[in-house]
Amino acid sequence: MKLRAAILILSNTGFLDAWFPSLRPIRSFSQLREATSVDNKPYLNPLIDSIQPSKTVEIFSQVKDMEANGIQVTSLCVGEPDFLPAPAVLDALAEAVKAGDTRYTAVTGTLALRKAIAADLQRRKGVKYNPANEIVVGNGAKQSVYQALLATSGVGDSVIIPAPYWPSYPEMVSLAGSTSVIVETKAETGYLMTAEQLRKALNENPTTKLIILCNPSNPTGGVYSKEQLAELCDVLQDYPQVKVLADEIYERLVYDIDECPSVASMPGMFSRTMTVNGFSKAHAMTGLRLGYVAAPAPIARAITTIQSQLTSCASSLSQAGGVAALEKVSDEEIESNVQLLKQKRDYVLAELSTMPGVKVAVPPQGAFYVLPDFSYYGDDDTQLCLDLLQEQKLALVPGSSFGAPGTIRISYATSLEELAVAMTKLRTFLEVRQK
């Protein structure tokens, strides 16, 4: 009765008319119930209809369901290293538990972790951040990306995203009320956006407020060199209103090159760059959900405000592990894992090179993915992946979900033994298709 009375009071006072114009005809509880349900289904925010679920998560869920029913599946669909975090990280986690380090931390993270992050960025990237107000620790890099988007783009704004892209980028842009501008790149150039493409996109989309640059790239493994980044940054000098969200979560996993340069380190870019990184990839701390964004103080403050109303702080235990990862895990330990990943990359590339109709234009130089062209077998890469899963019990992710139809993403962040099984299954599947 109280709810019904409240609805009628709000209606009669004009509150519903002012704030919920779609509910103007409502003058009773029964009318409200009818207006907020369709076929007895609960009313949901219309924004949900514009958001696509993650295809990677969807396929991974199918894999888990199949495994739960006793079906053995070979999965190369998730970007998760097969090695454990370094012993120093595991020890730090155990010590934090024993010490009762289980309380809330500051929203931005512990000062110890923020200092460790700042020291690491200065040592390896030559970029100086103030740990007091320019670093925000979050529950994984994914949260950090989304909050950076929310802080710097909104309704009526455009966000430039080079394709192929991580599938969450366009969906996050939609959630922020902005519009994605997809810039198609070419396999022949390693799927890297050129300065000419960037300038053209900016000229054609004057409402652009942000560019998302993933370096190294998921899903291609492409890496922008310092010279290529400099060319993009030179273009941006003519568009001072545009910021850069630099997703550098894979920056420690590079092959055949010395380093992956940071956008914030380029001349004139610090004040307009948000650098996102984390501990899931190089440190194999995926389930611990720990990431961060480093940005100029005004932007970091805005991101902190958003996070304070969403999740507050990241796990205190994970943060203790993060400090150990940055202060106690040597570069040599990480490099040994990089060399193992390179060995796996080379194995997969060698296998793919002998499979009929499969093309890899430019070998990946970073991350742990390869994005071969399978268009020889038709345009429907999603159906191809579904057939692979059903016929060979091999889980891969269709490239169309990354903005690259006709391709399939393969993650080689698993054991060589598992990769051998996967490549055999893939070869068998393709040979049957070719006959």
Side-chain angles (χ1 to χ4, degrees):
M1 293 297 294
K2 291 182 180 179
L3 177 59
R4 296 183 184 183
I7 291 171
L8 292 176
I9 291 171
L10 290 173
S11 175
N12 292 333
T13 58
F15 179 85
L16 292 179
D17 290 352
W19 291 98
F20 301 98
S22 62
L23 302 183
R24 282 172 184 164
I26 294 173
R27 291 297 180 268
S28 71
F29 183 75
S30 60
Q31 287 177 318
L32 175 67
R33 184 169 55 199
E34 291 173 6
T36 56
S37 64
V38 179
D39 298 329
N40 293 323
K41 294 181 180 179
Y43 171 81
L44 297 176
N45 188 333
L47 184 63
I48 299 300
D49 292 333
S50 68
I51 307 300
Q52 297 297 317
S54 168
K55 189 65 67 174
T56 304
V57 173
E58 188 177 333
I59 292 177
F60 187 62
S61 297
Q62 289 185 41
V63 170
K64 290 304 178 184
D65 288 342
M66 293 171 72
E67 290 176 341
N69 289 315
I71 302 172
Q72 188 171 3
V73 180
T74 303
S75 177
L76 303 182
C77 66
V78 177
E80 183 171 50
D82 66 325
F83 50 85
L84 287 172
V89 174
L90 299 178
D91 290 344
L93 290 170
E95 290 169 6
V97 171
K98 292 177 182 177
D101 189 8
T102 58
R103 303 295 184 180
Y104 289 129
T105 73
V107 170
T108 55
T110 65
L111 183 58
L113 179 55
R114 285 180 279 131
K115 284 183 175 180
I117 291 168
D120 180 66
L121 290 173
Q122 186 167 9
R123 177 179 72 90
R124 295 190 306 105
K125 299 298 182 180
V127 186
K128 188 174 182 179
Y129 289 96
N130 185 340
N133 60 3
E134 293 184 326
I135 293 172
V136 183
V137 176
N139 296 274
K142 193 169 193 175
Q143 178 181 10
S144 298
V145 168
Y146 183 41
Q147 292 176 165
L149 257 168
L150 285 176
T152 55
S153 65
V155 177
D157 295 332
S158 297
V159 179
I160 291 177
I161 305 173
Y165 46 73
W166 184 43
S168 292
Y169 292 148
E171 308 309 324
M172 290 177 176
V173 169
S174 295
L175 284 169
S178 301
T179 301
S180 295
V181 175
I182 306 301
V183 176
E184 305 289 344
T185 60
K186 297 180 180 179
E188 294 73 22
T189 59
Y191 292 114
L192 300 176
M193 181 173 62
T194 66
E196 292 75 17
Q197 288 178 310
L198 175 58
R199 186 177 293 279
K200 182 174 184 291
L202 288 168
N203 286 338
E204 293 176 352
N205 298 276
T207 58
T208 298
K209 294 295 189 298
L210 186 67
I211 297 171
I212 301 179
L213 208 60
C214 186
N215 193 35
S217 166
N218 173 11
T220 71
V223 180
Y224 290 91
S225 68
K226 193 168 186 177
E227 292 71 26
Q228 289 168 319
L229 274 187
E231 291 176 358
L232 297 178
C233 294
D234 284 345
V235 171
L236 289 174
Q237 300 309 313
D238 296 331
Y239 305 87
Q241 79 281 8
V242 179
K243 295 180 175 59
V244 178
L245 200 170
D247 186 349
E248 300 179 358
I249 186 68
Y250 297 97
E251 52 90 18
R252 299 208 71 169
L253 307 179
V254 293
Y255 324 107
D256 308 322
I257 56 178
D258 292 334
E259 65 171 346
C260 175
S262 178
V263 176
S265 69
M266 305 301 292
M269 293 305 298
F270 179 88
S271 63
R272 56 199 297 192
T273 301
M274 298 167 286
T275 301
V276 172
N277 209 326
F279 299 81
S280 292
K281 310 305 180 180
H283 292 285
M285 295 167 61
T286 49
L288 294 170
R289 308 311 303 133
L290 190 66
Y292 66 85
V293 58
I299 300 176
R301 185 164 52 251
I303 292 171
T304 301
T305 299
I306 293 170
Q307 183 165 304
S308 72
Q309 298 296 351
L310 294 179
T311 60
S312 295
C313 63
S315 161
S316 58
L317 301 178
S318 298
Q319 292 188 61
V323 173
L326 295 179
E327 295 183 345
K328 296 183 179 180
V329 179
S330 67
D331 292 343
E332 290 73 22
E333 286 180 83
I334 292 178
E335 182 58 27
S336 66
N337 288 329
V338 171
Q339 291 306 312
L340 288 174
L341 285 170
K342 182 179 183 297
Q343 183 182 357
K344 295 170 184 179
R345 179 204 67 165
D346 293 345
Y347 170 76
V348 169
L349 289 175
E351 289 293 308
L352 292 174
S353 69
T354 63
M355 293 184 191
V358 179
K359 300 177 183 177
V360 180
V362 178
Q365 291 186 307
F368 35 61
Y369 310 107
V370 59
L371 192 74
D373 185 342
F374 283 82
S375 58
Y376 175 84
Y377 297 94
D379 297 329
D380 195 343
D381 50 77
T382 298
Q383 189 58 52
L384 198 66
C385 287
L386 291 173
D387 291 344
L388 259 173
L389 186 58
Q390 293 303 315
E391 296 175 25
Q392 291 293 327
K393 307 300 181 287
L394 174 61
L396 303 176
V397 187
S400 56
S401 62
F402 299 91
T407 67
I408 292 177
R409 193 192 75 168
I410 298 173
S411 169
Y412 50 84
T414 187
S415 67
L416 279 169
E417 292 76 15
E418 188 82 347
L419 288 173
V421 172
M423 292 299 104
T424 298
K425 288 183 175 183
L426 181 58
R427 185 185 302 277
T428 300
F429 176 83
L430 296 178
E431 287 175 349
V432 171
R433 284 290 191 281
Q434 195 184 34
K435 292 180 181 178

